[in-house]
Amino acid sequence: MTRVAAIDAGSNAIRFVVADFDGPLSYTIVHKVREPIRLGHNVFTQGGLDEDTMDLAVAAFRLFRRHIDALGVERFRAVATSATREAANRDMFLDRIHVRTGITLEPISGKEEARLVHLAVGSRVDLSEGRWILVDLGGGSVEVSLVDETGILWSESYQVGTVRLLETLTAARGCHDSLLAWVRLQLRPLTIPPPNGYPGPTAFAATGGNIEAIAGLALSYLDPLKIAILPSNRLDAVIHMLSEMTVPERIHELQLRPDRADVILPAALVYRHFAHMVGTGQVVVPSVGVKEGVLLDVAARAMAPTSPDAVSAESPPTAPRG
């Protein structure tokens, strides 16, 4: 049994998960935390992380450090996506986290995000038949990959994320008053150009917290341990419902978290865009994403006899953790 952890510092929330592995693809989640810290706030419109957001993030990482120590985590990896990698003051932010907690937060590229998502989806979905489009939508970007049983054939990262869409709309209020019109405008450049010699996709899988929430609304129930199939017409029905509701109504009537209620509609529109492009009539929702990809990656390295280094949880911090 190998106990590993993953931290996914996304643009809309920071997630921490601990799992016990008894094989490369066999694991049990023993602890998880989601901190609703919007790292993308201000980054996509003003260029940098603000002090309040950084303070909240540091506090979250101190909590994660305590969990890592208390739960006996052997190895872990902490990754950050578009908000952190684009922030002008990211080095100061990364240094602050390391000094306060001993955790090295690693900004990763869109291609690495796509690799981790492919790893996670492949652990749950049989990708051996046909060609799949994998769409992982976050707060700052969307990673799109064309894959088959041999691996990733093509991938692209687009700067279209839910937090980015909302905050850039606010900044452009003089030009566009409609969220629907704004999102559709931003989606126009998003394409799926398959590489030379490969036919187009035959199936579509979507990842991210928003598609799981959308599937839960459309299907009335979502088992996070099972694959869900979301028909495109039900996705359309959710879009129509959300379009008719205010954010407070979504929170009150649909029991959505505040940081989900404001981004779920633009997310649904992005997923619908790709569903139209693929034309499969349904979206596969495997209920995994970057953090599960990180878990699998760390576990594989930890279990390999000559593994160089997933980060050891025993590395002492460079400053007190308390």
Side-chain angles (χ1 to χ4, degrees):
M1 190 75 70
T2 301
R3 178 162 289 186
V4 303
I7 300 171
D8 171 18
S11 300
N12 192 47
I14 305 176
R15 297 169 178 84
F16 170 75
V17 60
V18 179
D20 285 340
F21 279 75
D22 55 15
L25 298 178
S26 176
Y27 63 91
T28 303
I29 301 295
V30 296
H31 187 70
K32 60 182 179 179
V33 178
R34 180 187 186 275
E35 293 289 341
I37 299 167
R38 188 164 280 181
L39 292 175
H41 177 59
N42 287 337
V43 170
F44 306 126
T45 55
Q46 299 179 27
L49 294 153
D50 62 81
E51 284 293 331
D52 288 344
T53 300
M54 287 193 287
D55 287 344
L56 289 171
V58 169
F61 273 79
R62 293 174 74 176
L63 173 65
F64 301 156
R65 179 79 240 190
R66 290 195 291 271
H67 286 319
I68 286 169
D69 295 341
L71 293 171
V73 171
E74 298 169 47
R75 291 179 180 270
F76 69 92
R77 184 183 183 194
V79 302
T81 54
S82 57
T84 301
R85 68 175 173 249
E86 293 181 31
N89 57 346
R90 78 171 192 178
D91 290 343
M92 178 179 68
F93 175 55
L94 300 176
D95 288 345
R96 191 175 298 182
I97 287 177
H98 188 264
V99 167
R100 300 286 183 85
T101 70
I103 294 174
T104 298
L105 179 59
E106 173 192 355
I108 59 173
S109 67
K111 288 197 177 295
E112 175 65 358
E113 281 189 69
R115 185 187 74 85
L116 293 169
V117 169
H118 176 247
L119 188 63
V121 173
S123 73
R124 185 164 288 191
V125 178
D126 182 4
L127 301 176
S128 64
E129 295 186 8
R131 293 156 306 282
W132 289 71
I133 280 292
L134 307 185
V135 175
D136 182 61
L137 177 63
S141 65
V142 58
E143 277 61 50
V144 186
S145 304
L146 180 67
V147 309
D148 66 8
E149 74 278 3
T150 67
I152 297 177
L153 307 175
W154 166 89
S155 69
E156 187 63 67
S157 178
Y158 297 98
Q159 289 188 327
V160 177
T162 55
V163 176
R164 189 191 300 269
L165 286 167
L166 287 180
E167 297 207 350
T168 54
L169 172 62
T170 300
R173 180 64 69 181
C175 301
H176 294 273
D177 291 329
S178 165
L179 173 62
L180 298 177
W182 178 257
V183 173
R184 287 167 181 160
L185 177 66
Q186 304 306 307
L187 293 180
R188 286 179 186 173
L190 275 64
T191 59
I192 306 173
N196 292 334
Y198 292 105
T202 56
F204 172 31
T207 59
N210 281 298
I211 193 62
E212 294 169 20
I214 291 164
L217 293 173
L219 305 174
S220 300
Y221 174 72
L222 184 69
D223 186 339
L225 298 179
K226 296 181 180 179
I227 298 170
I229 305 298
L230 173 62
S232 294
N233 62 349
R234 293 205 180 186
L235 175 56
D236 288 336
V238 170
I239 290 172
H240 178 75
M241 176 181 66
L242 294 171
S243 300
E244 297 296 315
M245 303 174 74
T246 64
V247 171
E249 286 171 341
R250 295 173 200 164
I251 295 170
H252 177 69
E253 297 179 26
L254 303 179
Q255 300 298 300
L256 294 175
R257 294 188 303 265
D259 69 323
R260 179 73 66 212
D262 61 347
V263 297
I264 191 170
L265 178 55
L269 293 168
V270 174
Y271 290 122
R272 191 66 185 95
H273 174 83
F274 284 105
H276 272 303
M277 293 178 69
V278 177
T280 61
Q282 64 183 28
V283 182
V284 175
V285 183
S287 295
V288 292
V290 171
K291 64 184 184 301
E292 286 81 12
V294 173
L295 282 177
L296 290 161
D297 197 44
V298 172
R301 294 171 186 270
M303 292 177 172
T306 57
S307 169
D309 32 38
V311 178
S312 170
E314 299 176 358
S315 301
T318 55
R321 304 171 197 161

